[in-house]
Amino acid sequence: MTPVLEARNLVRDYHIPGSLLKKSKTVNAVKGVSFKVEEGKTLAIVGESGCGKSTLARMVTMIDPVTAGEMLIDGQKVDIAADGLSPEMRSKVQIVFQNPYGSLNPRKKIGDILTEPLVINTKIPAGERRDRAMAMLKKVGLEEKHYARYPHMFSGGQRQRVAIARALMLNPRLLVLDEPVSALDLSVQAQVLNLLSDLQDEFHLTYVFISHDLSVVRHIADDVMVMYFGEAVEYGSRDQVFDSPQHSYTKTLFAATPRVDVAAIQARLERRKRA
Ligand SMILES: Nc1ncnc2c1ncn2[C@@H]1O[C@H](COP(=O)(O)OP(=O)(O)OP(=O)(O)O)[C@@H](O)[C@H]1O
Ligand SMILES: [Mg+2]
């Protein structure tokens, strides 16, 4: 089967211009990373702050150009530099960011936020745009009455649902989720993760899921890639990576993560109750 996304040796350098007192420099944010994601699967990308996860996310979403390497979506080569990227190609990959407050325009109503991608990328008439947005609100667990409200009138979890709805308006093949639940309370995190999982089944979506939370990754990933200073130091199925990590960084990362032993907590509570 052709993977939905194939990345071959992706490289991204940032050039930071110098000033009178400072020399210019280059940051090698991503240093040649390759991976594939099949339809309906989730690739989780983990790694410490600054290792290049968001940079990779922006390249995959075609927001940022690649410095070198290539990317194929549904087997078709993406050439963002050539400026010839069709709206069809762009709409295939959508992104959801960590902070839905920052990514939703506070001056726009939810209805306008949801219909905007259709206005920009399609010729769908206004009435149908509205119907589609209403339908999508329900799909993400919101209500029709939310259509006319502003982002500040929602909770963090609801705002993230709006961001997910917006990302789905153009029927993408791939969603890039950059720490989508990290800013939410634990109970709300679980709800949003369940929603993502339901939507993945319903729309046959493929996910690239960036997270620093290993318990979340264990829960949602099919494959896992561990990044370290711009390189993929580990890449394999979830069980492979979790059960027998190869690289010393991954071993340290896993060892440093406290495991919540639910059974032990429950046993302790039982003992207390009896005492
Ligand atoms: N626009 C930019 N210009 C210059 N350097 C950048 C730019 N964006 C990112 N970088 C640098 O590239 C490296 C990778 O950053 P990136 O944001 O991809 O990391 P990250 O893994 O997403 O981190 P975090 O977990 O904190 O979100 C960092 O050293 C960062 O400072
Ligand atoms: Mg980031």
Side-chain angles (χ1 to χ4, degrees):
M1 204 163 65
T2 313
V4 171
L5 170 68
E6 181 172 359
R8 296 179 184 156
N9 264 310
L10 290 185
V11 174
R12 176 71 169 135
D13 296 337
Y14 291 110
H15 296 284
I16 300 169
S19 62
L20 215 52
L21 299 172
K22 261 190 181 163
K23 277 208 291 189
S24 68
K25 66 170 188 176
T26 302
V27 178
N28 311 115
V30 175
K31 304 173 184 165
V33 169
S34 305
F35 56 89
K36 286 180 194 174
V37 203
E38 305 277 349
E39 181 177 61
K41 301 285 181 200
T42 299
L43 168 69
I45 301 181
V46 293
E48 63 193 13
S49 182
C51 70
K53 304 180 297 292
S54 295
T55 302
L56 194 60
R58 286 198 300 274
M59 288 195 282
V60 168
T61 322
M62 299 171 252
I63 299 171
D64 268 12
V66 303
T67 304
E70 60 179 16
M71 212 166 67
L72 290 94
I73 292 172
D74 282 328
Q76 217 184 328
K77 222 179 127 181
V78 174
D79 194 355
I80 166 169
D83 198 27
L85 211 52
S86 62
E88 288 89 83
M89 192 61 130
R90 268 198 195 279
S91 61
K92 280 189 177 194
V93 187
Q94 297 294 319
I95 191 164
V96 174
F97 296 101
Q98 173 174 0
N99 175 1
Y101 213 32
S103 66
L104 301 177
N105 187 337
R107 286 188 209 87
K108 285 198 169 156
K109 290 183 180 162
I110 302 308
D112 296 325
I113 290 173
L114 294 187
T115 50
E116 190 177 40
L118 298 177
V119 174
I120 296 171
N121 293 283
T122 71
K123 294 194 172 73
I124 295 171
E128 197 187 326
R129 290 201 297 262
R130 189 188 157 84
D131 292 347
R132 287 199 187 187
M134 289 288 190
M136 194 55 84
L137 276 177
K138 285 197 207 139
K139 291 268 181 227
V140 299
L142 294 171
E143 295 167 51
E144 290 198 350
K145 66 177 183 208
H146 293 135
Y147 189 90
R149 296 196 183 162
Y150 290 93
H152 75 269
M153 301 161 97
F154 292 89
S155 70
Q158 286 175 322
R159 276 199 291 268
Q160 201 56 307
R161 286 172 193 267
V162 173
I164 293 166
R166 177 182 57 182
L168 294 179
M169 286 304 290
L170 292 168
N171 297 322
R173 296 274 290 146
L174 179 78
L175 268 200
V176 177
L177 302 142
D178 192 352
E179 303 268 10
V181 297
S182 308
L184 306 175
D185 283 355
L186 272 185
S187 61
V188 182
Q189 281 195 11
Q191 291 166 11
V192 173
L193 288 172
N194 286 337
L195 170 70
L196 285 169
S197 157
D198 291 345
L199 292 169
Q200 181 166 44
D201 290 344
E202 180 167 358
F203 297 111
H204 310 292
L205 289 164
T206 306
Y207 289 162
V208 170
F209 192 107
I210 294 171
S211 179
H212 64 266
D213 186 334
L214 291 174
S215 59
V216 169
V217 168
R218 189 162 211 153
H219 180 69
I220 51 103
D222 294 294
D223 291 334
V224 176
M225 183 164 90
V226 181
M227 286 183 73
Y228 187 60
F229 284 106
E231 283 175 275
V233 292
E234 196 105 37
Y235 175 43
S237 74
R238 175 189 58 186
D239 292 346
Q240 258 169 11
V241 172
F242 273 93
D243 295 344
S244 47
Q246 301 297 309
H247 193 272
S248 58
Y249 170 68
T250 322
K251 288 178 191 165
T252 324
L253 183 73
F254 287 5
T257 308
R259 286 204 184 168
V260 181
D261 189 342
V262 179
I265 293 172
Q266 267 165 351
R268 200 167 61 218
L269 286 175
E270 284 296 319
R271 273 202 305 277
R272 258 211 221 153
K273 240 194 260 171
R274 280 200 300 271

